[in-house]
C-alpha cells in the first residue's frame, strides 16, 4: 500500500551487500527497524488480551470520569476475580497518545515520538504489542529479528502490491489477527498480492 516506503526500505537493504545477515546486521538497518516497529504497532498481532485481578485494588486514572449517576471517579475499583481487558491495539493507535495521524502507517514517526508514548507500559518499543509485566511475551526479540530476516529476503528481491482495493482488506482476529477480504469472508484468511521481481535484481536469486 506504500510503494515509496517499500522502495526506501529496499534501497537501505541493498546498501548491505550480504546474503546472510547476522542479527547485528539486521538490527543495524535503521529504516527496517522503524518499519518493523510501525507494522507491529498498527497491525497489532494480538489485538487485545485479558488479565484477572488476584486481589481487590484501585486502578488510578489519568483523567477522571463521571458515571451515569453524575459521580466523578479518579480511579476504578477492581474486585478479586474481575476480568480486565487490555486493549492492545487501541492503546497502540490512540490519537490522544500518538497524535492525529495515529492510524496512518508512518515509519518515520519513530524518529520523534510524542512524549505520551513513554507512559505505555510495554516490554518493547513504546507499544503494547508484546504487552508488559511478568507475563509479557518471552519471544519478542526472536519475533522481531525473524520478521526483519523475512523482510530482508523478500523486499530485496520482489516488489509487492495489493491485488485488491485497500478497502476490501479487513482484519479478522481469532487469537492473532490476520487479513481477509470483505467480499469473500467465507474463504477465510487471504491477502491477494501482485509480486514482481524487483528492478535491478539478478535473475539467479539473492538481492544483489
Ligand atoms: C510478532 C510476534 C509476536 C507477538 C506480537 C507476540 C505477542 C505476545 C503477547 C501479546 C503475549 C501475551 C499474551 C497474554 O498473556 O495474554 C505473548 C506471550 C507469549 N509469547 Fe509471544 N508474541 C510473538 C511471538 C512470539 C514468539 C516467536 C515466541 C517464542 C519463540 C513467543 C512466545 C511467547 C510466550 C511463551 C508467551 C507466554 C508468556 C507467559 O505467559 O509468561 N511469542 N506474546
Amino acid at each position: 500500500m506504500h510503494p515509496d516506503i517499500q522502495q526506501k526500505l529496499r534501497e537501505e537493504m541493498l546498501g548491505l551487500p550480504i546474503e546472510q545477515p547476522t542479527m547485528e546486521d539486521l538490527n543495524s538497518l535503521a529504516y527496517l527497524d522503524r518499519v518493523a516497529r510501525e507494522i507491529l504497532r498498527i497491525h497489532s498481532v494480538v489485538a487485545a488480551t485479558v488479565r484477572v485481578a488476584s486481589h481487590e485494588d484501585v486502578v488510578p486514572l489519568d483523567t477522571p470520569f463521571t458515571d451515569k449517576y453524575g459521580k466523578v471517579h479518579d480511579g476504578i475499583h477492581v474486585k478479586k476475580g474481575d476480568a480486565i481487558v487490555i486493549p492492545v491495539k487501541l492503546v497502540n493507535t490512540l490519537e490522544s497518545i500518538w497524535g492525529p495521524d495515529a492510524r496512518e502507517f508512518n515509519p518515520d514517526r519513530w524518529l520523534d515520538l510524542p512524549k505520551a508514548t513513554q507512559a505505555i507500559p510495554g516490554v518493547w518499543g513504546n507499544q503494547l504489542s508484546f504487552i508488559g509485566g511478568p507475563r509479557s511475551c518471552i519471544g519478542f526479540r526472536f519475533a522481531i529479528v525473524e520478521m526483519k530476516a523475512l523482510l530482508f529476503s523478500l523486499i530485496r528481491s520482489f516488489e509487492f502490491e495489493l491485488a485488491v482495493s485497500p478497502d476490501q482488506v479487513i482484519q479478522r482476529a481469532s487469537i492473532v489477527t490476520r487479513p481477509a477480504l470483505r467480499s469473500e469472508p467465507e474463504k477465510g484468511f487471504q491477502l491477494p498480492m501482485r509480486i514482481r521481481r524487483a528492478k535491478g535484481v539478478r535473475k539467479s536469486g539473492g538481492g544483489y
Side-chain angles (χ1 to χ4, degrees):
M1 285 170 64
H2 303 277
D4 48 334
I5 293 175
Q6 195 182 134
Q7 184 54 23
K8 189 170 166 185
L9 185 60
R10 187 171 295 114
E11 277 162 19
E12 182 190 60
M13 289 168 167
L14 291 171
L16 191 69
I18 46 177
E19 288 303 315
Q20 297 193 340
T22 61
M23 190 164 95
E24 286 70 31
D25 291 331
L26 290 169
N27 285 337
S28 74
L29 299 172
Y31 196 61
L32 175 60
D33 192 67
R34 299 208 287 281
V35 169
R37 282 168 195 270
E38 190 66 346
I39 291 172
L40 286 164
R41 181 186 75 86
I42 211 156
H43 301 293
S44 316
V45 182
V46 179
T49 184
V50 178
R51 289 292 182 266
V52 177
S54 57
H55 58 84
E56 192 174 349
D57 207 347
V58 177
V59 180
L61 294 176
D62 220 21
T63 315
F65 76 96
T66 309
D67 69 18
K68 61 182 178 183
Y69 307 105
K71 196 172 168 217
V72 179
H73 300 262
D74 56 8
I76 297 178
H77 285 267
V78 175
K79 295 192 293 295
K80 182 177 176 177
D82 276 356
I84 299 167
V85 174
I86 304 172
V88 173
K89 185 167 177 175
L90 186 75
V91 173
N92 280 350
T93 54
L94 210 57
E95 279 187 21
S96 56
I97 296 179
W98 297 90
D101 68 344
R103 289 186 189 87
E104 284 164 33
F105 185 79
N106 172 19
D108 284 339
R109 78 172 67 248
W110 294 91
L111 290 171
D112 185 20
L113 283 186
K115 210 161 180 284
T117 61
Q118 287 171 13
I120 299 177
V123 68
W124 175 80
N126 297 66
Q127 50 179 285
L128 270 195
S129 303
F130 298 101
I131 63 162
R135 302 305 296 264
S136 59
C137 179
I138 61 165
F140 77 92
R141 284 194 184 82
F142 177 83
I144 293 161
V145 86
E146 180 185 45
M147 176 174 159
K148 287 182 175 179
L150 280 169
L151 286 171
F152 187 81
S153 241
L154 294 172
I155 298 286
R156 286 184 319 159
S157 302
F158 302 107
E159 288 178 10
F160 294 86
E161 190 192 343
L162 259 188
V164 292
S165 141
D167 59 17
Q168 272 298 308
V169 182
I170 53 172
Q171 301 189 346
R172 293 178 74 189
S174 44
I175 288 175
V176 297
T177 306
R178 296 193 175 103
L181 289 194
R182 198 181 297 282
S183 57
E184 300 177 339
E186 73 287 355
K187 289 199 177 163
F189 301 118
Q190 56 170 325
L191 185 64
M193 286 191 279
R194 265 183 223 104
I195 302 172
R196 284 183 221 95
R197 186 174 288 280
K199 288 179 202 78
V201 174
R202 273 203 330 251
K203 277 223 167 98
S204 56
Y208 221 48

